[in-house]
Amino acid sequence: MDLGGWERQLAAYGPAGLFWWACAEAVFFPVPPDVLLVPLVLGDPRGWMFYAAVATAGSCLGGLVGYGLGWYGGRNFLERFFAAKKVGRIELFFAEYGAWAVG
């Protein structure tokens, strides 16, 4: 399948770009790596499993980084970016709804 303009530009980042995009998305970046994954797979359909593994590895690393930020920075880290009142409201929300608060 021939890729169009924007798909070709995204696919030019290749597997390394996909890895770092997935990593950043897992920590803070709100755009999922599928935006890059799809053009890569369209350009090389037989490499779909490789690209899926790259995206998964990047996402796992990003998850570990996010966990580390929470573990070592915790509330102090959050209060650098958000008001203490908002952080307290989030804590109450998690206390009330538990894991359902994530979804």
Side-chain angles (χ1 to χ4, degrees):
M1 173 176 264
D2 189 32
L3 297 177
W6 68 271
E7 295 98 336
R8 184 169 291 133
Q9 289 175 345
L10 281 176
Y13 290 102
L18 177 63
F19 178 85
W20 290 112
W21 189 323
C23 185
E25 188 271 335
V27 179
F28 62 90
F29 192 57
V31 180
D34 302 1
V35 175
L36 182 53
L37 178 63
V38 170
L40 286 170
V41 172
L42 287 174
D44 179 18
R46 292 187 301 162
W48 71 269
M49 191 176 294
F50 169 71
Y51 294 125
V54 168
T56 301
S59 185
C60 288
L61 178 63
L64 289 173
V65 169
Y67 182 84
L69 287 173
W71 181 264
Y72 292 109
R75 186 180 185 100
N76 292 332
F77 181 79
L78 283 176
E79 287 179 354
R80 283 183 159 184
F81 301 101
F82 303 102
K85 184 177 178 181
K86 287 189 178 187
V87 174
R89 287 178 54 202
I90 292 169
E91 286 177 333
L92 290 174
F93 189 73
F94 274 92
E96 185 174 343
Y97 296 105
W100 289 103
V102 177

